[in-house]
Amino acid sequence: MQAAPVRATPIPSFTDALRAVESLLMSSGQRTARRNAWTSVLEDRRRAKDRVEAQLVVESVTRS
């Protein structure tokens, strides 16, 4: 029995494939704007989570 052949190059991830399609379809300015928008969404989510955690701490301190 022979061993399976080893691939010289790794199979690209799904994210890599999406970025390749994105680069074909969008100009670099649109790509940058889209990535900046997504970064803002993630930052807003992080801040909202921090606000909720801070509110829970304040409520637990005021109940004590």
Side-chain angles (χ1 to χ4, degrees):
M1 191 185 321
Q2 278 187 317
V6 177
R7 294 180 72 90
T9 58
I11 298 172
S13 69
F14 184 71
T15 303
D16 293 337
L18 283 178
R19 286 199 176 145
V21 170
E22 178 187 54
S23 69
L24 291 173
L25 297 176
M26 298 178 142
S27 71
S28 63
Q30 288 174 321
R31 266 197 321 273
T32 301
R34 186 170 161 223
R35 286 194 183 128
N36 288 344
W38 183 244
T39 300
S40 294
V41 167
L42 295 177
E43 184 63 21
D44 288 346
R45 288 178 182 176
R46 187 193 61 76
R47 279 196 301 266
K49 180 182 169 198
D50 290 347
R51 267 195 312 274
V52 168
E53 290 174 356
Q55 183 64 34
L56 291 173
V57 169
V58 169
E59 289 173 1
S60 69
V61 168
T62 56
R63 278 188 240 157
S64 298

